[in-house]
Amino acid sequence: MILLLLAVTLSSKPQFLRPDTDARAVVRIQCDSEPLLSVNAGRFEKLHRVADDAFEADYLPPEEPIPRVAIATAVAAGKFGWLAIPLWGAGDALVKTRKHAQISVQIGDQTFGPAEADAEGDALVPVIVPPGVNEAFHGKRAIDLHVPKTQTLQLALGAQRLLADRAQVVQLFVAVVTPKGEPRRDAQLSIGATRGEVSAPRETAPGLYEAKLTIPAGLIGQVVVRAALTDAPKFVSQASIALEPGPAKTVSLIGEATRAVAGESPVSLTASARDAAGNASPEKLKFEASFGTVAANAASVGQWLVTVTLPPEFKGKKSVDIVVRGEKARDAKTLPLLPAAPSKVTFSDSPRTVRADGHSAIRVPLQVSDDFGNPAQATPRISANQGTAALESNGGALYASYVPPLLHEPSQAMLAAKLGGSTANAELLLMPQLRPAAFSPKIGFLSNFDGFSAPFVGIEAALRSERFGPQLGLALEVDATRRSQDATLDETGQVSTQVSILLFHLSAQYRHEWDARTTLWLAAGPSLAGYLVDVSGSKTGSLSNSAFSPGAHAAVGVERRMGFAVPFLELRATWITRPELPTVSGPLRILSLGVGARFEAL
């Protein structure tokens, strides 16, 4: 017998099984994908594909050789097919007759016997009985074979596994046959389920009835579906659907840890994943940490033990973000990174030089850290071997606020910070107070390298300031030089010439303190030369002329503090325009080298 529905076809060889000749049947299932097989009696084994659109399985009947109908069902990709396989039974027909009589019985067109009756007149005739036959005949006398009633329906489900986190509709299929294995029409069915609602069954083909099971979203578990004929309620066919958890709808990170302390790694958390109905979800999650390393081990379905291992040195990081991700869900937990107990103090970026003016405070940055170098909060003690020092906090940063003493000579100061057993030192070079005024006598030698060379004396008055950052100065200098020359001329006789020059220099200075005692400077500005020329001759008498000529100059110098006086060396280039004098020709270009001592005013 072959029945077809929606392209799933079942057939068997042989088409029915006799216990005296057939031990099994080969069932062929015509479908594209692997089918789910079920049967009301016996079992299937060795399902295998034999073609692109066909599978075969061995059907083994039950051990009890009673007449019945095996109803085989197959579901593949939502398509259903079924097949009735008649199973013949073996038994004995009990016939009452005269003693020692030879008895034969008739079942259909088959004769069984003869069998000899015993002394009581009872004859047991072995028979092979097809399903649906309940009596044999000895002549015209009917003999009841006492064939037990068997199940004549088989329930199959359109799915065996579903996700529990969403409402589902499952197709139910019930194949019903007569005791002989023929499709039964107009059967009255009772179908129920342990969860959800079952629609009224309807006959869609001879012997085939369909219904729908609507399962609401809910907890995981088994849904058992039972079907029975109303006229044979004790014969129940049942099947089950496994409701499994769905993908993660929500994921969460849970843990008692509210912070991570240096040196106390690892941090333990628990991650959980739940589907839309609240069931623990088996979806594989991904774990990330913005710092350190993260490991996750599954503790149970939908639950992981998460371990975050952090290095003890946080490298300036303030927090660590731990993230768990599913396909469509995400959760994160941020733990602040806290240092261990403060144990070290250090100075950082301390200035090398400080102006020791007795009132200007400087701030030397301090850093307090734990054993691993992470910044920590603590209050160290601050001291200085000269001047005053105090601890200052600004925006969470620590400083040693230091006020140097008033010094007129270079010196050194030592700042000390103590925290527990840790001590930090910062060495400061104390530069003497910048004196705003200085007077500088000097002597030197100048020359134009073209016949005019002479010594000079001078004095400079300067004002200096650091108000604008760099050390700047303004200086006025007066230098004096004189040169005499005698000559004998035929027309004028003995001639004596004396040239006196006063040089006035106004300079803008840039000064740079090379170290505590050495200062370099650059200067430039306008100059003015005053000439006085006296000429006397034995025949012509005396003649005096004077004039002023403007010019410019540039100078470079170095000084070295040595106690009260500050010796210096200066090289200056000067250019003066030609004066309106008959006895002087051309501009004056001179290079002068001077030495002197600077005396500073308080």
Side-chain angles (χ1 to χ4, degrees), residues 172 191 197-202 210-214:
L172 308 182
I191 305 176
E197 295 184 359
V198 180
S199 66
R202 61 187 182 89
E210 293 186 31
K212 292 183 178 179
L213 170 62
T214 302

Side-chain angles (χ1 to χ4, degrees), residues 333-354:
K333 190 176 183 67
T334 299
L335 298 179
L337 298 176
L338 302 182
S343 59
K344 296 180 181 179
V345 60
T346 55
F347 284 103
S348 59
D349 300 327
S350 60
R352 292 185 300 174
T353 59
V354 179

Side-chain angles (χ1 to χ4, degrees), residues 23-39:
R24 66 182 60 204
V26 176
V27 176
R28 186 181 181 92
I29 308 99
Q30 206 76 28
C31 59
D32 294 331
S33 58
E34 183 172 320
L36 298 175
L37 301 179
S38 67
V39 66

Side-chain angles (χ1 to χ4, degrees), residues 497 499 531-535 543-549 578-586:
T497 304
V499 180
Y531 291 88
L532 178 61
V533 181
D534 293 319
V535 180
L543 179 64
S544 294
N545 293 295
S546 62
F548 288 93
S549 295
R578 179 181 180 279
E580 297 296 329
L581 293 173
T583 56
V584 178
S585 62

Side-chain angles (χ1 to χ4, degrees), residues 364-492:
V364 182
L366 269 174
Q367 186 177 67
V368 175
S369 62
D370 59 15
D371 285 337
F372 310 107
N374 301 302
Q377 296 293 325
T379 306
R381 291 179 296 148
I382 305 297
S383 62
N385 64 338
Q386 57 177 323
T388 59
L391 187 66
E392 179 182 328
S393 177
N394 186 359
L398 290 179
Y399 301 90
S401 179
Y402 174 69
V403 179
L406 176 62
L407 298 177
H408 302 299
E409 289 293 326
S411 184
Q412 287 184 331
M414 185 69 72
L415 290 180
K418 293 185 178 181
L419 178 66
S422 174
T423 300
N425 295 303
E427 185 175 309
L428 305 178
L429 180 60
L430 301 182
M431 303 296 290
Q433 180 192 22
L434 179 64
R435 296 170 178 174
F439 300 92
S440 309
K442 64 178 72 173
I443 60 173
F445 192 82
L446 57 82
S447 175
N448 69 349
F449 301 99
D450 190 24
F452 181 83
S453 299
F456 73 92
V457 296
I459 188 168
E460 176 192 278
L463 297 176
R464 297 173 295 185
S465 174
E466 291 180 312
R467 180 177 180 180
F468 302 105
Q471 191 180 134
L472 304 177
L474 184 65
L476 179 62
E477 180 179 336
V478 181
D479 297 333
T481 184
R482 175 180 293 178
R483 183 178 184 277
S484 300
Q485 184 176 357
D486 294 326
T488 301
L489 303 176
D490 294 338
E491 297 177 353
T492 59

Side-chain angles (χ1 to χ4, degrees), residues 475-476 504-508 524-528 550-553 572 574-576:
L476 179 62
F504 299 90
H505 303 298
L506 181 62
S507 304
S527 298
L528 182 66
H553 73 279
R572 184 189 306 273
T574 306
W575 178 81
I576 303 296

